[in-house]
Amino acid sequence: PGTLLPRLPSEPGMTLLTINIEKIGLKDAGQCIDPYITVSVKDLNGIDLTPVQDTPVALRKEDTYVHFNVDIEIQKHIERLTKGAAIFFEFKHYKPKKKFTSTKCFAFMEMDEIKPGAIVIELYKKPTDFKRKKLQLLTKKPLYLHLHQTLHKE
């Protein structure tokens, strides 16, 4: 069912971020079993700044897209996130032959990318590099994670 958390209470002058995960583009989207996305907020050393959340399993798979259309409430006011923090999205799916859930790819958003509206971010090869040192794009094809951000300020 996922492990999504509710929005934090608002505080005067502080901004909360809701990210709607719309869809992810993958060349073999239709073959992914029980796909979901793990969302985490990490500092430059890869340390969690908020609780890690999992989306429910994707709504549907269509052509080269896995559709989620799910809202993630970031569990910290934007102003309280440390410099260099990033929000990570790890795409995971079940592998029946190996009987475990595997991370297929990941994407991340840095603090300067937090602004209201739609955003598409590039996908990178696993393993997830929370320190963002050795990033390799997943493919040469233009495949992206499609997000929509809403900022809540009191």
Side-chain angles (χ1 to χ4, degrees), residues 5-8 17-19 53 71-75 152:
L5 296 165
R7 188 178 308 159
L8 294 175
L17 173 63
T18 304
I19 298 175
Q53 302 182 67
D71 286 340
I72 305 281
E73 302 292 346
I74 299 303
Q75 298 293 303
H152 310 274

Side-chain angles (χ1 to χ4, degrees), residues 9-27:
S10 59
E11 288 183 35
M14 289 286 174
T15 310
L16 286 167
L17 173 63
T18 304
I19 298 175
N20 178 273
I21 300 176
E22 292 175 5
K23 60 187 179 179
I24 185 170
L26 295 165
K27 61 179 193 280

Side-chain angles (χ1 to χ4, degrees), residues 5-6 19 29 34-35 47 49-50 55 64 73 81 85 108 111 122 127 140:
L5 296 165
I19 298 175
D34 294 343
I47 293 163
L49 299 175
T50 66
T55 70
T64 54
E73 302 292 346
L81 291 172
F108 64 89
M111 303 323 295
E122 293 183 304
K140 294 187 171 64

Side-chain angles (χ1 to χ4, degrees), residues 24-59:
I24 185 170
L26 295 165
K27 61 179 193 280
D28 57 352
Q31 293 158 11
C32 296
I33 297 173
D34 294 343
Y36 67 96
I37 292 179
T38 298
V39 179
S40 54
V41 183
K42 310 265 190 194
D43 68 8
L44 278 170
N45 297 314
I47 293 163
D48 283 312
L49 299 175
T50 66
V52 174
Q53 302 182 67
D54 289 331
T55 70
V57 167
L59 297 170

